[in-house]
């Protein structure tokens, strides 16, 4: 067990030594991987920020609750009381049918036509401000109020929320596709790097096999190398995004002052950062593993 | 107890060349054996079969009771740790120091580093290269490179030393030094199997001589 651990520690130390021995090559390698990872990761960061922004600064979504034509003033009051008690409703305002007709007259220039009508065709209505902005919450609220007595129709102004939701979903898909493509790139980069390393260390591998090295012992440093390069690439990507955000946030400052709201893009949180690093390390390890499988068996002296 | 046993071993290479045809041989524990014959007679093939570098086409090769020919791939590294291998072309690693070359077998077996360093220095001292431990192998003479190869072969204290033409490219003086080293290992109980056509060396060490001719044992 101890010798197994120390073998791993040695392989790890050997990997770091190898990285340091060819600093320029290692640096370029890490930069390539970092750039490949920075793209989807950056997109993800922007998306997460947009989502947060939409949640924080969206205009309050509204529902229009139209009462039945035969609803009395008492019915309207009862509906109003019930709305006040309903959770998920932050405010409600009564618009009487007369008031609505006046607004229609003054705002639309349809005064002549309206004057020619035999009566007021508009119902009484409550304009309700909902607490949640997402489509599901609004739909649930709408379905509930629709069931109430003397309620003829509930109109939800939730189209914009749906649009934003589907746009963000689209964005998430784009990030996923980009991430998949660039994950392939990362695997390919480590695959090739390890292939070159195996070629340059052909003698060492042959001698080690001849004097009793197990396949695991020979593979280990390459796998470590893949994982370490991947993780370093992930860290590089994290730093690139950090730098980009710092610059971007600087530019946002005047805009934020103009609008009087704190506009700022946030970096990945701790959990996401660790996940990204681990993901990069796993991809690097996988590329190395593929390469080792493909190229080490090839010149077994047997 | 017999250390290495070959029974009716044949080796035919792809393409039809038969390097060995029905060789039977017993090498006892602690014996010193020289396998002689012209180049191409099958000496190297015989050593490769013992060290599981090649597999026999027919017959069986037993090392310490283990059938080398049918050994599974993952068992081969552990079998090879019984051997010290000395190659004619040395197979040294030129990108690391003399000391690190000797450390390699101990690193492979996961030896404690401090104890390993002690053993590596002892092995280097044995072959007279301790003062060059920090040098690169490329700066060593041919004889020194061969002695370094021997130090690497014995550092993990194998029970069997296999050497393929260890004096092949050396002049008589160097060859004599190397011969003395093999005599020393034989005297401490190591089984020594040499493939060589250096008859001067054989005359000095008086080993058991096995002559191979055309892939068969001609004289034992």
């Amino acid at each position: 067990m101890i010798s197994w651990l120390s073998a791993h520690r040695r392989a790890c130390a050997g990997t770091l030594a190898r990285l340091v021995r060819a600093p320029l090559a290692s640096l370029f390698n890490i930069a390539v991987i970092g750039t490949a990872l920075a793209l989807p990761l950056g997109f993800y960061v922007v998306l997460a920020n947009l989502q947060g922004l939409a949640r924080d600064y969206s205009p309050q979504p509204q529902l229009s609750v139209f009462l039945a034509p035969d609803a009395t003033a008492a019915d309207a009051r009862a509906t109003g009381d019930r709305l006040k008690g309903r959770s998920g409703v932050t405010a409600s305002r009564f618009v009487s049918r007369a008031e609505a007709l006046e607004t229609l007259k003054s705002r639309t220039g349809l005064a002549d036509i309206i004057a020619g009508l035999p009566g007021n065709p508009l119902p009484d209505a409550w304009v309700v401000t909902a607490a949640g902005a997402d489509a599901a919450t609004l739909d649930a609220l709408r379905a509930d109020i629709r069931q109430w007595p003397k309620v003829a129709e509930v109109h939800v102004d939730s189209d914009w929320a749906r649009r934003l939701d589907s746009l963000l979903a689209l964005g998430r898909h784009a990030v996923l596709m980009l991430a998949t493509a660039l994950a392939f790139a990362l695997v390919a980069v480590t695959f090739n790097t390890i292939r070159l390393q195996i070629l340059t260390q052909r003698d060492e591998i042959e001698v080690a096999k001849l004097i009793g090295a197990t396949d695991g012992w020979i593979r280990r440093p390459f796998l470590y190398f893949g994982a370490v390069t991947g993780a370093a690439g992930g860290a590089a990507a994290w730093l690139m995004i950090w730098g980009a955000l710092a610059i971007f946030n600087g530019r946002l400052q005047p805009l934020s002052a103009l609008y009087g709201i704190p506009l700022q893009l946030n970096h990945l949180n701790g959990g996401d950062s660790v996940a990204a690093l681990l993901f990069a390390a796993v991809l690097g390890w996988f590329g190395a593993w593929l390469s080792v499988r493909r190229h080490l068996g090839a010149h077994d002296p047997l | 107890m017999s250390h290495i046993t070959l029974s009716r071993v044949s080796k035919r290479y792809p393409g039809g060349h038969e390097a060995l045809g029905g060789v039977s041989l017993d090498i006892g524990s602690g014996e010193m054996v020289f396998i002689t014959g012209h180049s191409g007679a099958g000496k190297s093939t015989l050593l490769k079969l013992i060290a599981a570098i090649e597999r026999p086409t027919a017959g069986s090769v037993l090392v310490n009771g283990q059938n080398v020919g049918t050994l599974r791939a993952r068992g081969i590294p552990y079998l090879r740790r019984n051997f010290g291998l000395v190659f004619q072309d040395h197979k040294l690693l030129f990108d690391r120091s003399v000391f690190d070359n000797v450390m390699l077998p101990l690193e492979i077996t996961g030896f404690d580093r401090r104890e390993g360093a002690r053993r590596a220095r002892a092995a280097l001292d044995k072959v007279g290269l301790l003062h060059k431990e920090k040098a690169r192998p490329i700066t060593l003479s041919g004889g020194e490179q061969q002695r370094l190869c021997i130090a690497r072969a014995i550092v993990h204290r194998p029970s069997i030393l296999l050497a393929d033409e260890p004096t092949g490219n050396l002049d008589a003086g160097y060859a004599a030094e190397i011969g003395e080293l093999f005599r020393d290992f034989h005297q401490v109980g190591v089984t020594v199997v040499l493939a060589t056509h250096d008859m001067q060396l054989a005359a000095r060490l008086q080993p058991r001589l096995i002559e191979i001719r055309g892939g068969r044992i001609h004289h034992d």
Side-chain angles (χ1 to χ4, degrees), chain A residues 3-20:
Chain A
S3 95
W4 180 83
L5 272 180
S6 90
H8 273 267
R9 209 187 47 233
R10 248 181 254 168
C12 207
T15 300
L16 292 179
R18 205 177 292 173
L19 277 169
V20 173

PDB file of all heavy atoms in Angstrom, chain A residues 3-20:
ATOM      1  N   SER A   3       3.998   1.410  -0.790  1.00  0.00           N
ATOM      2  CA  SER A   3       4.822   1.484  -1.992  1.00  0.00           C
ATOM      3  C   SER A   3       3.953   1.914  -3.180  1.00  0.00           C
ATOM      4  O   SER A   3       4.401   2.612  -4.075  1.00  0.00           O
ATOM      5  CB  SER A   3       5.499   0.145  -2.268  1.00  0.00           C
ATOM      6  OG  SER A   3       4.756  -0.634  -3.168  1.00  0.00           O
ATOM      7  N   TRP A   4       2.663   1.506  -3.125  1.00  0.00           N
ATOM      8  CA  TRP A   4       1.736   1.925  -4.181  1.00  0.00           C
ATOM      9  C   TRP A   4       1.549   3.439  -4.130  1.00  0.00           C
ATOM     10  O   TRP A   4       1.613   4.124  -5.145  1.00  0.00           O
ATOM     11  CB  TRP A   4       0.400   1.211  -3.974  1.00  0.00           C
ATOM     12  CG  TRP A   4      -0.642   1.546  -4.990  1.00  0.00           C
ATOM     13  CD1 TRP A   4      -0.781   0.998  -6.232  1.00  0.00           C
ATOM     14  CD2 TRP A   4      -1.703   2.497  -4.847  1.00  0.00           C
ATOM     15  NE1 TRP A   4      -1.864   1.557  -6.858  1.00  0.00           N
ATOM     16  CE2 TRP A   4      -2.453   2.469  -6.041  1.00  0.00           C
ATOM     17  CE3 TRP A   4      -2.090   3.368  -3.829  1.00  0.00           C
ATOM     18  CZ2 TRP A   4      -3.548   3.270  -6.247  1.00  0.00           C
ATOM     19  CZ3 TRP A   4      -3.197   4.160  -4.042  1.00  0.00           C
ATOM     20  CH2 TRP A   4      -3.911   4.106  -5.238  1.00  0.00           C
ATOM     21  N   LEU A   5       1.345   3.945  -2.913  1.00  0.00           N
ATOM     22  CA  LEU A   5       1.174   5.395  -2.736  1.00  0.00           C
ATOM     23  C   LEU A   5       2.412   6.139  -3.188  1.00  0.00           C
ATOM     24  O   LEU A   5       2.328   7.156  -3.875  1.00  0.00           O
ATOM     25  CB  LEU A   5       0.897   5.710  -1.265  1.00  0.00           C
ATOM     26  CG  LEU A   5      -0.566   5.676  -0.840  1.00  0.00           C
ATOM     27  CD1 LEU A   5      -0.669   6.021   0.637  1.00  0.00           C
ATOM     28  CD2 LEU A   5      -1.370   6.661  -1.669  1.00  0.00           C
ATOM     29  N   SER A   6       3.561   5.619  -2.781  1.00  0.00           N
ATOM     30  CA  SER A   6       4.789   6.345  -3.104  1.00  0.00           C
ATOM     31  C   SER A   6       5.044   6.278  -4.608  1.00  0.00           C
ATOM     32  O   SER A   6       5.582   7.206  -5.194  1.00  0.00           O
ATOM     33  CB  SER A   6       5.968   5.803  -2.303  1.00  0.00           C
ATOM     34  OG  SER A   6       6.608   4.762  -2.988  1.00  0.00           O
ATOM     35  N   ALA A   7       4.615   5.176  -5.238  1.00  0.00           N
ATOM     36  CA  ALA A   7       4.747   5.096  -6.701  1.00  0.00           C
ATOM     37  C   ALA A   7       3.907   6.187  -7.359  1.00  0.00           C
ATOM     38  O   ALA A   7       4.335   6.825  -8.311  1.00  0.00           O
ATOM     39  CB  ALA A   7       4.312   3.725  -7.194  1.00  0.00           C
ATOM     40  N   HIS A   8       2.702   6.397  -6.797  1.00  0.00           N
ATOM     41  CA  HIS A   8       1.844   7.443  -7.350  1.00  0.00           C
ATOM     42  C   HIS A   8       2.434   8.825  -7.111  1.00  0.00           C
ATOM     43  O   HIS A   8       2.402   9.680  -7.974  1.00  0.00           O
ATOM     44  CB  HIS A   8       0.445   7.360  -6.724  1.00  0.00           C
ATOM     45  CG  HIS A   8      -0.436   6.406  -7.457  1.00  0.00           C
ATOM     46  ND1 HIS A   8      -1.271   6.782  -8.467  1.00  0.00           N
ATOM     47  CD2 HIS A   8      -0.571   5.074  -7.344  1.00  0.00           C
ATOM     48  CE1 HIS A   8      -1.894   5.724  -8.948  1.00  0.00           C
ATOM     49  NE2 HIS A   8      -1.492   4.671  -8.276  1.00  0.00           N
ATOM     50  N   ARG A   9       2.989   8.994  -5.904  1.00  0.00           N
ATOM     51  CA  ARG A   9       3.567  10.293  -5.590  1.00  0.00           C
ATOM     52  C   ARG A   9       4.726  10.573  -6.528  1.00  0.00           C
ATOM     53  O   ARG A   9       4.882  11.675  -7.040  1.00  0.00           O
ATOM     54  CB  ARG A   9       4.048  10.303  -4.137  1.00  0.00           C
ATOM     55  CG  ARG A   9       4.006  11.673  -3.516  1.00  0.00           C
ATOM     56  CD  ARG A   9       4.654  11.691  -2.144  1.00  0.00           C
ATOM     57  NE  ARG A   9       5.924  11.027  -2.131  1.00  0.00           N
ATOM     58  CZ  ARG A   9       6.250  10.056  -1.282  1.00  0.00           C
ATOM     59  NH1 ARG A   9       5.393   9.644  -0.392  1.00  0.00           N
ATOM     60  NH2 ARG A   9       7.447   9.486  -1.319  1.00  0.00           N
ATOM     61  N   ARG A  10       5.531   9.530  -6.783  1.00  0.00           N
ATOM     62  CA  ARG A  10       6.680   9.701  -7.660  1.00  0.00           C
ATOM     63  C   ARG A  10       6.250  10.015  -9.084  1.00  0.00           C
ATOM     64  O   ARG A  10       6.828  10.874  -9.737  1.00  0.00           O
ATOM     65  CB  ARG A  10       7.529   8.431  -7.639  1.00  0.00           C
ATOM     66  CG  ARG A  10       8.854   8.651  -6.970  1.00  0.00           C
ATOM     67  CD  ARG A  10       9.650   7.385  -7.008  1.00  0.00           C
ATOM     68  NE  ARG A  10       9.688   6.758  -5.705  1.00  0.00           N
ATOM     69  CZ  ARG A  10      10.115   5.517  -5.508  1.00  0.00           C
ATOM     70  NH1 ARG A  10      10.493   4.774  -6.516  1.00  0.00           N
ATOM     71  NH2 ARG A  10      10.159   5.031  -4.302  1.00  0.00           N
ATOM     72  N   ALA A  11       5.195   9.312  -9.534  1.00  0.00           N
ATOM     73  CA  ALA A  11       4.703   9.563 -10.897  1.00  0.00           C
ATOM     74  C   ALA A  11       4.214  11.000 -11.013  1.00  0.00           C
ATOM     75  O   ALA A  11       4.430  11.672 -12.013  1.00  0.00           O
ATOM     76  CB  ALA A  11       3.579   8.589 -11.238  1.00  0.00           C
ATOM     77  N   CYS A  12       3.573  11.471  -9.948  1.00  0.00           N
ATOM     78  CA  CYS A  12       3.043  12.833  -9.932  1.00  0.00           C
ATOM     79  C   CYS A  12       4.191  13.843  -9.971  1.00  0.00           C
ATOM     80  O   CYS A  12       4.177  14.791 -10.753  1.00  0.00           O
ATOM     81  CB  CYS A  12       2.204  13.031  -8.676  1.00  0.00           C
ATOM     82  SG  CYS A  12       0.947  14.268  -8.879  1.00  0.00           S
ATOM     83  N   ALA A  13       5.197  13.601  -9.134  1.00  0.00           N
ATOM     84  CA  ALA A  13       6.355  14.488  -9.103  1.00  0.00           C
ATOM     85  C   ALA A  13       7.055  14.475 -10.457  1.00  0.00           C
ATOM     86  O   ALA A  13       7.466  15.514 -10.968  1.00  0.00           O
ATOM     87  CB  ALA A  13       7.316  14.067  -8.002  1.00  0.00           C
ATOM     88  N   GLY A  14       7.143  13.280 -11.048  1.00  0.00           N
ATOM     89  CA  GLY A  14       7.776  13.150 -12.358  1.00  0.00           C
ATOM     90  C   GLY A  14       7.040  13.949 -13.412  1.00  0.00           C
ATOM     91  O   GLY A  14       7.645  14.572 -14.272  1.00  0.00           O
ATOM     92  N   THR A  15       5.721  13.937 -13.311  1.00  0.00           N
ATOM     93  CA  THR A  15       4.891  14.690 -14.254  1.00  0.00           C
ATOM     94  C   THR A  15       5.181  16.177 -14.158  1.00  0.00           C
ATOM     95  O   THR A  15       5.393  16.854 -15.157  1.00  0.00           O
ATOM     96  CB  THR A  15       3.407  14.457 -13.940  1.00  0.00           C
ATOM     97  OG1 THR A  15       3.151  13.068 -14.067  1.00  0.00           O
ATOM     98  CG2 THR A  15       2.525  15.233 -14.878  1.00  0.00           C
ATOM     99  N   LEU A  16       5.211  16.678 -12.917  1.00  0.00           N
ATOM    100  CA  LEU A  16       5.474  18.106 -12.725  1.00  0.00           C
ATOM    101  C   LEU A  16       6.860  18.455 -13.242  1.00  0.00           C
ATOM    102  O   LEU A  16       7.052  19.467 -13.912  1.00  0.00           O
ATOM    103  CB  LEU A  16       5.342  18.463 -11.245  1.00  0.00           C
ATOM    104  CG  LEU A  16       3.915  18.355 -10.715  1.00  0.00           C
ATOM    105  CD1 LEU A  16       3.863  18.693  -9.240  1.00  0.00           C
ATOM    106  CD2 LEU A  16       2.986  19.279 -11.492  1.00  0.00           C
ATOM    107  N   ALA A  17       7.826  17.557 -12.954  1.00  0.00           N
ATOM    108  CA  ALA A  17       9.186  17.804 -13.428  1.00  0.00           C
ATOM    109  C   ALA A  17       9.208  17.882 -14.947  1.00  0.00           C
ATOM    110  O   ALA A  17       9.878  18.730 -15.533  1.00  0.00           O
ATOM    111  CB  ALA A  17      10.116  16.692 -12.946  1.00  0.00           C
ATOM    112  N   ARG A  18       8.418  17.000 -15.590  1.00  0.00           N
ATOM    113  CA  ARG A  18       8.374  16.976 -17.048  1.00  0.00           C
ATOM    114  C   ARG A  18       7.782  18.276 -17.594  1.00  0.00           C
ATOM    115  O   ARG A  18       8.223  18.800 -18.603  1.00  0.00           O
ATOM    116  CB  ARG A  18       7.534  15.785 -17.489  1.00  0.00           C
ATOM    117  CG  ARG A  18       7.879  15.306 -18.866  1.00  0.00           C
ATOM    118  CD  ARG A  18       7.076  14.094 -19.223  1.00  0.00           C
ATOM    119  NE  ARG A  18       7.423  12.928 -18.443  1.00  0.00           N
ATOM    120  CZ  ARG A  18       6.731  11.785 -18.513  1.00  0.00           C
ATOM    121  NH1 ARG A  18       5.685  11.699 -19.289  1.00  0.00           N
ATOM    122  NH2 ARG A  18       7.094  10.746 -17.803  1.00  0.00           N
ATOM    123  N   LEU A  19       6.762  18.780 -16.903  1.00  0.00           N
ATOM    124  CA  LEU A  19       6.136  20.034 -17.321  1.00  0.00           C
ATOM    125  C   LEU A  19       7.120  21.183 -17.227  1.00  0.00           C
ATOM    126  O   LEU A  19       7.176  22.053 -18.088  1.00  0.00           O
ATOM    127  CB  LEU A  19       4.918  20.340 -16.450  1.00  0.00           C
ATOM    128  CG  LEU A  19       3.614  19.648 -16.828  1.00  0.00           C
ATOM    129  CD1 LEU A  19       2.586  19.836 -15.732  1.00  0.00           C
ATOM    130  CD2 LEU A  19       3.093  20.191 -18.131  1.00  0.00           C
ATOM    131  N   VAL A  20       7.916  21.162 -16.144  1.00  0.00           N
ATOM    132  CA  VAL A  20       8.841  22.263 -15.905  1.00  0.00           C
ATOM    133  C   VAL A  20      10.035  22.179 -16.849  1.00  0.00           C
ATOM    134  O   VAL A  20      10.584  23.179 -17.273  1.00  0.00           O
ATOM    135  CB  VAL A  20       9.291  22.251 -14.419  1.00  0.00           C
ATOM    136  CG1 VAL A  20      10.383  23.266 -14.179  1.00  0.00           C
ATOM    137  CG2 VAL A  20       8.095  22.522 -13.530  1.00  0.00           C
TER     138      VAL A  20
END
